Amino acid sequence: MRWVRRPRRSGTICLCVASFALLLHLLLLCFAFSSIPQTQSCNPSSSSSSSSSSSSSSSSSSARRDAPLHPANDTSGLAPPPAETTPPDTLKTRRGVVPRDSKARRHPPVGGEAGGGGGVSVSKLQAFFSHPLYNLPSPAVPEEDWLLRVKPKAQVSTLQDGYEDVQWNSSSSSHPPWLRFHMGISRWELYPNPDPNMGPLVQQLATHHIVSAVQKSGGTQLKLVMSFPNYGQAIFKPMKQERDEETNFNLYYFSDFERHNAEIAAFHLDRILGYRRIPPVVGRLVDVVKDIKDVTTDHKLARTFFSSPVGNTCFYGQCSYYCSTEHAVCGRPTALEGSVALMLPDLSLAIRRTWRSPWRRSYSRSKLAKWETEPDYCSTVKKTAPYDKGTRLVDVVDLAILDFLMSNMDRHHYETFEKFGNDTFLLHLDNGRAFGRHSKDEPSILAPLRQCCRIRRSTWLRLRLLALPHFRLSDVMRESLGRDPLSVATTPLLAEPHLAALDRRLTVVLRAVNRCLEEKGGGVVIYDDMS
């Protein structure tokens, strides 16, 4: 029997299937390669988003670890509102209930950590001033709460040698920056936040031509009143010692020189704390001959100019203590830096009342003040007008916190605008003896806070905000001072040890408040000015 070999159909079928599978595999491979660029373009975003989320979580965890100390069972509502939380629709303030602006700015990201890692970097200072605590809504200011008002038909046109021919009327657009600042002073603050007038005002203080310079009467040290072509005036305090020179430990607080950079730094710190009670101050480099000697009409001042042995132009003026050839102010050879502080409205327009501080020092080398020897001193103060009602006591505590942070022991008096009576803010003037020592803190400056155990809620929240690592008081101060014209010099306006001292002292303030909260409770300690 012969076997006949027939074609294997099964082999053909297998070959076809294998070919089809290979073709399909090649098609899938090509498709995979063609999709790789799209996958790669998406992956960084996803990875960055994940990284950003991880970073945010880590930052949040770090913030919790580094947050200021507070009682374990904090039921007083003192924790600052989180950046992502929208505040209530309305806020009740001391000036009434007002609706919150639906377009209020939310806390922007710091260091470009906006979602996805592609956000625009925002400075700490910008982020800080954009925080809800610095953008609380403000109702319209009643007519009686403005310090000055322009008469509806008032118009001024004048021309003097060296001055501009001004045409002022009731419209603020016709006013120079210094006058707009004066017109913006209200019962509760010197200037609003934000203030679009601040930029032009500071620019003019730093650069405007000086048409007159005379010595300001009173005080223990040399100060000049400088006038500008637009009739604005400012107080000039010249540099008496190097910016980074620390006060001798053996000197008493009333024997120290005033510092021009202390006046500048005090303005920035006051603004960062949210007080806005120091008039604008800016650093400026002047020419002793062209900007002072050649334009002065003060004959007593003019007689004190002389040339030093190395050819520098010097002068010393006339004052109670430090106006002599031994304490002369000298240019290099004519260049002299100093602070320029805008003057407040003339006393003929806005009378100011001077108050003796209850925590004034004795200004004696051997005697102590009453508050230094009586632990229960504050109970007496609380029974005395104007500290027995209103905001005056917490205003003094605000001032004490400012002075402690910058180590200013020379706060013997403070001033208010008489028009507003006792229901108004305190003016934080004359800060030249601040920032003298960075290596030592003076706990006695905090006596009003420690003895009275009273503080504004808004002040407390802002202090806690400044203690957070993604803000940090020293960092926002460094950045703020870096915008001053004198910061272009090699030496910073405040040496790094002074900035570090701010953080150290802030911790001391927070602990003092926490101690009060633990002993007395939030209802007694916190003056609620926000709800």
Side-chain angles (χ1 to χ4, degrees):
M1 174 182 244
R2 296 182 60 184
W3 292 93
V4 179
R5 182 175 294 179
R6 297 180 180 179
R8 294 183 177 179
R9 293 184 181 180
S10 59
T12 304
I13 294 173
C14 290
L15 182 62
C16 292
V17 170
S19 300
F20 179 78
L22 179 62
L23 180 62
L24 182 61
H25 180 72
L26 291 174
L27 288 174
L28 290 173
L29 189 63
C30 292
F31 178 79
F33 276 117
S34 66
S35 65
I36 285 176
Q38 296 178 359
T39 305
Q40 288 178 336
S41 68
C42 296
N43 279 343
S45 175
S46 175
S47 174
S48 175
S49 177
S50 175
S51 173
S52 174
S53 176
S54 174
S55 172
S56 175
S57 175
S58 173
S59 174
S60 176
S61 175
S62 173
R64 286 193 295 270
R65 288 195 302 269
D66 298 337
L69 301 174
H70 60 280
N73 300 318
D74 186 357
T75 59
S76 58
L78 298 179
E84 299 80 5
T85 302
T86 304
D89 293 335
T90 61
L91 285 176
K92 186 173 72 175
T93 68
R94 64 190 170 203
R95 286 173 274 181
V97 178
V98 293
R100 174 169 290 283
D101 184 1
S102 61
K103 298 182 180 179
R105 290 174 292 175
R106 298 177 67 184
H107 179 45
V110 181
E113 293 183 359
V120 178
S121 176
V122 178
S123 72
K124 283 191 176 184
L125 188 67
Q126 282 181 287
F128 184 72
F129 283 131
S130 297
H131 193 277
L133 281 174
Y134 281 80
N135 293 276
L136 299 176
S138 298
V141 179
E143 189 68 23
E144 63 272 14
D145 281 357
W146 293 111
L147 180 65
L148 301 174
R149 291 287 81 187
V150 175
K151 295 180 180 179
K153 296 183 179 180
Q155 184 166 338
V156 179
S157 178
T158 181
L159 183 62
Q160 298 181 23
D161 291 340
Y163 291 86
E164 299 171 355
D165 183 14
V166 297
Q167 299 287 333
W168 301 341
N169 52 46
S170 58
S171 172
S172 62
S173 61
S174 70
H175 302 160
W178 67 266
L179 182 55
R180 286 200 293 270
F181 177 86
H182 285 180
M183 301 302 295
I185 299 174
S186 70
R187 178 185 294 275
W188 302 114
E189 58 192 6
L190 282 175
Y191 56 94
N193 178 54
D195 183 7
N197 183 54
M198 188 59 67
L201 175 58
V202 168
Q203 179 69 16
Q204 288 203 353
L205 288 174
T207 62
H208 228 33
H209 176 60
I210 299 168
V211 297
S212 173
V214 298
Q215 185 170 349
K216 187 179 185 301
S217 60
T220 61
Q221 302 188 36
L222 179 66
K223 296 181 286 289
L224 303 179
V225 177
M226 290 182 165
S227 300
F228 305 115
N230 61 4
Y231 292 89
Q233 289 188 319
I235 298 292
F236 178 77
K237 287 189 177 182
M239 182 176 73
K240 300 281 288 188
Q241 53 189 326
E242 298 300 324
R243 299 184 197 174
D244 56 351
E245 185 175 350
E246 189 174 16
T247 299
N248 188 308
F249 283 101
N250 292 313
L251 278 183
Y252 286 92
Y253 51 89
F254 48 82
S255 302
D256 198 9
F257 287 121
E258 292 186 355
R259 291 171 182 76
H260 69 297
N261 61 323
E263 292 285 359
I264 301 168
F267 163 66
H268 286 259
L269 181 58
D270 177 88
R271 180 168 170 256
I272 287 170
L273 292 176
Y275 294 159
R276 298 190 291 279
R277 300 165 196 169
I278 294 180
V281 187
V282 66
R284 178 165 181 167
L285 199 64
V286 302
D287 188 300
V288 174
V289 176
K290 295 179 181 179
D291 295 327
I292 301 177
K293 183 179 179 181
D294 290 351
V295 297
T296 187
T297 56
D298 188 334
H299 301 296
K300 292 182 179 179
L301 175 65
R303 287 197 294 266
T304 67
F305 280 85
F306 65 94
S307 182
S308 74
V310 295
N312 292 334
T313 302
C314 308
F315 66 103
Y316 53 86
Q318 293 185 351
C319 60
S320 303
Y321 295 101
Y322 298 109
C323 290
S324 62
T325 53
E326 293 81 7
H327 301 102
V329 175
C330 298
R332 299 178 180 176
T334 61
L336 173 66
E337 72 176 52
S339 65
V340 181
L342 182 70
M343 290 189 69
L344 292 170
D346 191 84
L347 294 176
S348 63
L349 299 174
I351 300 174
R352 299 196 300 271
R353 181 173 178 179
T354 301
W355 303 78
R356 181 182 173 123
S357 172
W359 283 270
R360 179 183 185 272
R361 297 180 183 276
S362 65
Y363 287 82
S364 168
R365 293 177 177 85
S366 57
K367 295 180 180 179
L368 295 177
K370 193 175 181 180
W371 59 269
E372 294 179 279
T373 60
E374 296 183 10
D376 199 30
Y377 176 77
C378 187
S379 61
T380 303
V381 175
K382 288 179 178 178
K383 298 175 184 176
T384 308
Y387 307 99
D388 56 344
K389 59 183 178 180
T391 63
R392 184 59 60 90
L393 185 61
V394 288
D395 286 336
V396 171
V397 171
D398 278 348
L399 183 53
I401 292 172
L402 173 71
D403 284 335
F404 176 74
L405 291 174
M406 58 186 187
S407 193
N408 178 27
M409 301 173 66
D410 190 37
R411 189 69 66 185
H412 43 85
H413 290 81
Y414 62 83
E415 295 182 33
T416 60
F417 289 110
E418 190 172 278
K419 174 182 177 179
F420 301 133
N422 296 336
D423 197 16
T424 185
F425 67 98
L426 314 185
L427 290 163
H428 300 172
L429 307 177
D430 296 329
N431 303 288
R433 286 199 171 106
F435 294 105
R437 293 173 182 156
H438 52 70
S439 54
K440 182 181 182 298
D441 300 338
E442 182 50 58
S444 64
I445 302 175
L446 271 185
L449 172 61
R450 286 191 165 123
Q451 294 180 355
C452 299
C453 274
R454 194 78 167 141
I455 189 173
R456 272 190 171 90
R457 179 184 293 273
S458 59
T459 299
W460 174 227
L461 293 179
R462 287 172 183 142
L463 292 175
R464 293 183 64 172
L465 195 66
L466 285 164
L468 297 177
H470 54 273
F471 289 122
R472 191 171 285 110
L473 177 56
S474 59
D475 290 343
V476 294
M477 267 293 285
R478 184 185 299 105
E479 185 179 344
S480 186
L481 289 171
R483 302 183 180 191
D484 186 88
L486 287 184
S487 67
V488 297
T490 305
T491 308
L493 276 171
L494 272 187
E496 282 300 317
H498 281 295
L499 294 173
L502 286 174
D503 293 331
R504 183 180 71 240
R505 292 164 185 162
L506 176 57
T507 302
V508 174
V509 176
L510 294 174
R511 286 176 176 167
V513 178
N514 287 328
R515 190 176 298 112
C516 288
L517 289 170
E518 291 170 353
E519 294 175 357
K520 300 179 181 296
V524 175
V525 176
I526 303 300
Y527 175 83
D528 197 347
D529 60 335
M530 296 178 62
S531 61

